[in-house]
Amino acid sequence: MEKIAAFTMGDSNDISTWSNVPFLFLKALQDNDKNLEICRKNIRVEDSNITVKYLQKIFNKMLKMIGHGGVFSFKRTKIYEMLVRKSMKKFVKENEKLDLLISFDFSSSIADKTDIKTLLFCDWTIEYYIKVMHKREPDFLERLAIKRQDFAVRNADYVVTLFPNVYDYMKKSYGNVYYLGNVINSLRKPLDMTREEGKLLTKKRYENKHLLFIGIKPYKSAAESLIKAIYNINSQGKEKYYLDIIGMEEDEFTEYDFLKCYGYLDKGNDEQQEIYYKLINGAKFIVNTAENWVGAPSIIEAMSFGVPIIVTPNPDIEKTFGKNIECGFYTLGNDVSYVYECIEKMSGCSVDEYSKMSINAQEMVKEYSWDSYICKIKDLIK
């Protein structure tokens, strides 16, 4: 390949765009081939069109007024998708001799209008999000959006998902879907847990009492179970644990002296990025026991820093790490008693046992580098 086009909902040079995935993907791709020309296009139409921005605001407000609580929004309308396609077609016309089109969205594609190979790279489809994650049937408006996305996926040459369970779901309907493994979505290089500095950090983590939870509102029930479990343990007076939550605000929970919430931390902001990685490096364990929503990227990133895990073995996690793990503990579910039991096990670990879990956590994800992932992408599209 000599020249490609990359389409993103937002600026792909901005770390904040889609949790830094496009930024890290394209950086690794450029590092892999210094001579490759990457033509970037922000297809978030409202960023350059104030009329669209105004219409989006009005439309979404109307949806809210009529009580539509689904995933459908102005961005899922046919009008918006037509504007996106128009923007993509114009950009391709302006940039000649392109070898590949990459879209970081399963709905945004012009594969049916070009002979240039097309790769769609994303996490999950609208249908999967509704039927599997939310365990419900899509409504009329959502079905229209699903139909349009289905067309985009079917016409693409390559469709790559970040999650194994999404792949299993999609491959039942499509023959062009691929899963290439996980990738560590991190902006910083962690210490090696087997070297002296890493060993010192492991000992420091072992002695502290801070647990870390990363997740947004759909994970709230898991956060609440963890809060209750910590409250029950602290109430016994033997030892006191603290909980740091990234992704939600304190006013979403009952106030406790052991709880601190940081809201969303933007890695594109230097100060917030510093807080984010300080919390990861200071966490004794990262915990997320949501049964349908476990945030694999944040779990894997924390593991790369040698942080042991407490998670529910949902399909994605189990397919990635197996039925038994040596880098932490699986819970039987999101019930408070199960979470409590895992924290008790954690409390009973010796420093040597904890150190082994820390080293194992890092070892289990060491192959998930962006460099390795890009090599797999290039092998796929040869």
Side-chain angles (χ1 to χ4, degrees):
M1 293 189 300
E2 296 181 1
K3 186 177 180 181
I4 68 168
F7 301 100
T8 50
M9 285 290 175
D11 182 0
S12 59
N13 287 303
D14 185 349
I15 294 172
S16 305
T17 296
W18 186 32
S19 302
N20 31 89
V21 171
F23 175 84
L24 292 171
F25 182 107
L26 296 174
K27 180 180 182 299
L29 187 60
Q30 190 73 82
D31 290 344
N32 182 274
D33 185 352
K34 299 294 184 183
N35 295 318
L36 178 66
E37 183 179 353
I38 301 176
C39 306
R40 301 167 184 252
K41 177 63 177 175
N42 176 3
I43 53 172
R44 192 165 59 194
V45 186
E46 63 272 25
D47 286 357
S48 57
N49 190 319
I50 193 167
T51 302
V52 173
K53 188 174 184 178
Y54 180 75
L55 285 173
Q56 178 177 248
K57 187 176 181 180
I58 297 298
F59 186 89
N60 290 341
K61 189 173 183 179
M62 288 174 63
L63 280 178
K64 192 174 181 179
M65 287 173 64
I66 63 174
H68 190 277
V71 301
F72 190 79
S73 67
F74 184 70
K75 284 187 177 181
R76 296 300 183 189
T77 63
K78 188 172 183 178
I79 294 172
Y80 189 87
E81 290 177 11
M82 284 173 61
L83 291 171
V84 168
R85 281 167 59 85
K86 182 180 178 182
S87 172
M88 294 174 76
K89 283 187 280 187
K90 182 182 177 184
F91 188 75
V92 169
K93 191 175 180 180
E94 292 170 349
N95 292 273
E96 299 178 347
K97 297 181 180 180
L98 290 165
D99 299 306
L100 180 71
L101 308 181
I102 302 177
S103 175
F104 291 87
D105 178 45
F106 285 155
S107 294
S108 304
S109 173
I110 54 169
D112 59 308
K113 297 294 183 182
T114 180
D115 293 327
I116 305 169
K117 294 288 185 182
T118 298
L119 165 67
L120 304 185
F121 182 84
C122 202
D123 42 19
W124 46 65
T125 60
I126 305 168
E127 181 178 276
Y128 182 90
Y129 179 84
I130 294 170
K131 289 187 175 182
V132 179
M133 292 185 167
H134 286 280
K135 295 183 178 180
R136 66 174 177 83
E137 290 299 310
D139 61 30
F140 174 73
L141 293 174
E142 290 167 340
R143 286 197 298 272
L144 294 176
I146 288 170
K147 186 177 179 180
R148 289 191 294 273
Q149 188 176 73
D150 173 77
F151 180 81
V153 170
R154 287 189 187 281
N155 280 279
D157 296 284
Y158 314 99
V159 179
V160 179
T161 173
L162 284 165
F163 300 110
N165 209 44
V166 179
Y167 166 72
D168 288 342
Y169 184 87
M170 292 181 71
K171 73 178 180 180
K172 296 173 186 176
S173 303
Y174 310 105
N176 57 346
V177 178
Y178 302 88
Y179 170 68
L180 304 178
N182 277 289
V183 65
I184 300 167
N185 196 29
S186 182
L187 296 169
R188 298 195 181 185
K189 187 177 180 179
L191 295 174
D192 184 338
M193 293 298 108
T194 64
R195 298 176 72 89
E196 193 59 36
E197 282 184 306
K199 289 177 181 179
L200 289 172
L201 177 59
T202 298
K203 185 179 179 182
K204 186 177 179 181
R205 283 178 180 158
Y206 176 77
E207 292 172 349
N208 80 24
K209 302 295 181 183
H210 281 262
L211 304 183
L212 178 62
F213 183 98
I214 301 177
I216 53 177
K217 282 187 179 181
Y219 297 87
K220 188 176 178 181
S221 63
E224 289 174 333
S225 292
L226 178 56
I227 290 168
K228 290 173 184 175
I230 292 174
Y231 174 80
N232 291 342
I233 288 174
N234 288 353
S235 296
Q236 295 176 8
K238 296 178 184 177
E239 50 190 343
K240 184 170 183 177
Y241 284 97
Y242 298 87
L243 176 61
D244 297 310
I245 294 180
I246 298 173
M248 286 181 275
E249 304 288 348
E250 287 185 4
D251 59 11
E252 297 182 57
F253 304 100
T254 302
E255 186 176 341
Y256 292 100
D257 62 351
F258 61 80
L259 174 65
K260 186 166 184 180
C261 297
Y262 292 83
Y264 173 73
L265 293 177
D266 181 0
K267 292 182 187 176
N269 177 293
D270 290 344
E271 185 178 340
Q272 292 182 33
Q273 183 185 132
E274 186 66 31
I275 294 171
Y276 181 90
Y277 285 107
K278 184 177 180 180
L279 292 172
I280 282 186
N281 277 315
K284 186 167 188 174
F285 274 74
I286 183 169
V287 186
N288 192 331
T289 56
E291 295 178 20
N292 295 316
W293 277 90
V294 174
S298 59
I299 295 293
I300 289 170
E301 182 181 18
M303 289 174 68
S304 75
F305 283 80
V307 182
I309 64 175
I310 295 176
V311 296
T312 299
N314 76 2
D316 277 337
I317 292 291
E318 196 169 278
K319 283 173 185 173
T320 301
F321 302 120
K323 293 184 179 294
N324 299 296
I325 54 172
E326 297 180 347
C327 60
F329 304 104
Y330 278 152
T331 68
L332 294 175
N334 189 42
D335 187 84
V336 175
S337 63
Y338 296 145
V339 182
Y340 178 96
E341 183 182 345
C342 279
I343 297 176
E344 285 276 86
K345 287 180 183 178
M346 176 196 74
S347 301
C349 287
S350 68
V351 65
D352 287 340
E353 290 171 329
Y354 180 80
S355 179
K356 285 179 183 177
M357 284 191 284
S358 180
I359 291 170
N360 288 339
Q362 193 169 66
E363 181 70 19
M364 288 174 74
V365 300
K366 71 176 184 180
E367 299 299 326
Y368 298 158
S369 70
W370 274 108
D371 291 340
S372 174
Y373 197 86
I374 289 302
C375 288
K376 294 175 186 177
I377 289 285
K378 294 185 78 171
D379 286 342
L380 173 66
I381 61 179
K382 276 182 180 178

